[in-house]
Amino acid sequence: MPELQMCAIKYSIPGISNPGLPECQVAEWLKKVFGDHPIPQYEMNSRTTEILYHLAERNRVRDRDISLVIEDLKQKASEYESEAKRLEDFLMESVNFSPANLSKSGSRFLNALVDSAIALEIKDTSLASFIPAVNDLTSDLFRTKSKSEEIKLELGKLEKNLTATLVLEKCLRDDLKKAELQLSAEKAKVDSRLQNMDFLKAKAAEFRFGIKAAEEQLSARGMDASLSHRSLAALSEKLSELKEQTIPLKKKLESYLDLMPSPSLAQLKIEEAKRELDAIEAELTKKVDMMGL
């Protein structure tokens, strides 16, 4: 039996009857992931095989990187333990000192020193390591303070802009409220005018109907058409025109009165003017009487 078929049978992957190399790697990866648990059923085709193959490759690369990191950490831990053992032996040989012989205060100070070294991420607790680390930390502090001041200034500008925006918003809201009140008042006026217009239209229709009925009634009683409202209105306009025409005649008459002509000719002109004036006044009186009727 070929080796690839043996791979499919070994890992019991359903749907692989004639597997290739990627399928075998996928089968091996799935067996490793699920362990003793059964592998779920899935549709076996080129697309799913390609996806699972890429996942298996990424998982393999990630496992390799994690293994390298673990090995590196183990190596560093071993180095730290060796360095600690060396320092402890050095202290014991030089001053017969051991951390186990420290008092509670000394142990607390030593732990604080170690914690500071860890926090500053330095390789040892010497001054040559502490001073640059503290300087870097001080520089970071100054940069942070400077950045904080910049942020405060920017925040102050934003607060001013926000205040101005809020004031503008309040003004706009007040203007909008005033506009709404004015619009409501104008709408009330328009509604009132519409109601008045409807009332006037109804009254006009009522008056037209009344006038028509009255004209029909007067016509039935044999009233002269010249006494109708329209005729009287026309006569009133004509009367006004006649009054306007008498004005220059009166002025002309006054001019004759101011002259010193021969008595006979003046008397004739006066009589002629009086006759014209009497005729106009007679016609005017007649029209007035007709209008009074």
Side-chain angles (χ1 to χ4, degrees):
M1 182 177 293
E3 182 179 357
L4 295 178
Q5 292 181 355
M6 291 178 63
C7 178
I9 294 174
K10 177 181 178 181
Y11 295 109
S12 301
I13 304 301
I16 303 179
S17 58
N18 188 17
L21 183 58
E23 288 83 349
C24 185
Q25 292 179 357
V26 168
E28 183 179 358
W29 175 66
L30 290 174
K31 183 65 178 177
K32 181 179 178 181
V33 170
F34 288 97
D36 296 334
H37 299 284
I39 298 174
Q41 297 288 334
Y42 64 94
E43 183 179 355
M44 200 60 193
N45 53 44
S46 59
R47 178 61 178 165
T48 56
T49 302
E50 181 182 0
I51 294 173
L52 291 174
Y53 177 74
H54 285 299
L55 289 175
E57 285 297 314
R58 291 184 179 182
N59 186 264
R60 182 179 62 80
V61 173
R62 186 190 64 180
D63 291 344
R64 183 191 62 191
D65 294 340
I66 292 175
S67 299
L68 292 175
V69 172
I70 291 174
E71 290 298 328
D72 183 63
L73 292 176
K74 286 182 178 180
Q75 183 178 356
K76 288 183 179 180
S78 178
E79 292 175 357
Y80 291 154
E81 289 177 357
S82 299
E83 183 67 14
K85 179 65 176 173
R86 186 186 67 79
L87 292 174
E88 185 177 354
D89 293 341
F90 176 75
L91 290 174
M92 288 294 295
E93 291 175 2
S94 60
V95 294
N96 194 20
F97 173 77
S98 174
N101 298 329
L102 289 175
S103 63
K104 291 183 179 181
S105 299
S107 298
R108 187 167 61 252
F109 292 150
L110 182 60
N111 291 331
L113 187 63
V114 172
D115 293 339
S116 299
I118 294 173
L120 293 173
E121 297 179 355
I122 56 179
K123 62 181 181 180
D124 53 37
T125 58
S126 63
L127 288 176
S129 298
F130 264 108
I131 291 176
V134 171
N135 290 336
D136 292 340
L137 189 62
T138 304
S139 299
D140 292 340
L141 179 60
F142 284 137
R143 284 194 297 270
T144 303
K145 286 184 177 180
S146 177
K147 189 66 176 178
S148 177
E149 292 297 327
E150 293 178 1
I151 293 174
K152 285 182 179 179
L153 292 175
E154 188 68 24
L155 182 60
K157 294 179 181 179
L158 291 176
E159 287 178 352
K160 290 181 180 179
N161 293 335
L162 179 60
T163 303
T165 303
L166 292 175
V167 172
L168 179 60
E169 182 184 4
K170 185 177 182 302
C171 293
L172 291 176
R173 288 181 181 276
D174 293 339
D175 293 341
L176 179 60
K177 188 175 180 180
K178 292 178 181 178
E180 289 177 349
L181 292 175
Q182 185 176 0
L183 180 61
S184 179
E186 291 295 331
K187 185 179 179 182
K189 291 181 180 179
V190 171
D191 292 339
S192 177
R193 290 175 181 175
L194 289 175
Q195 291 178 358
N196 292 335
M197 185 173 66
D198 293 338
F199 174 76
L200 292 175
K201 285 182 178 180
K203 281 296 182 182
E206 182 181 351
F207 288 152
R208 282 195 299 268
F209 180 77
I211 291 171
K212 186 177 180 181
E215 287 178 350
E216 291 177 354
Q217 185 178 5
L218 292 173
S219 179
R221 293 180 179 179
M223 185 195 76
D224 187 2
S226 62
L227 297 178
S228 63
H229 175 73
R230 186 174 301 175
S231 299
L232 293 175
L235 289 174
S236 177
E237 292 179 359
K238 190 173 182 180
L239 178 61
S240 298
E241 292 177 359
L242 291 174
K243 286 182 177 180
E244 292 293 332
Q245 292 175 3
T246 59
I247 293 174
L249 292 176
K250 288 182 178 181
K251 290 182 177 179
K252 185 177 180 180
L253 179 61
E254 291 176 355
S255 65
Y256 283 126
L257 293 175
D258 293 336
L259 296 176
M260 295 297 293
S262 61
S264 59
L265 183 59
Q267 186 66 32
L268 289 175
K269 292 292 184 181
I270 291 171
E271 292 298 331
E272 183 182 354
K274 283 184 177 181
R275 284 194 298 271
E276 290 180 2
L277 183 59
D278 290 339
I280 292 173
E281 288 181 353
E283 186 178 358
L284 180 60
T285 303
K286 182 180 177 181
K287 297 297 183 180
V288 171
D289 293 338
M290 292 178 65
M291 291 178 64
L293 294 176

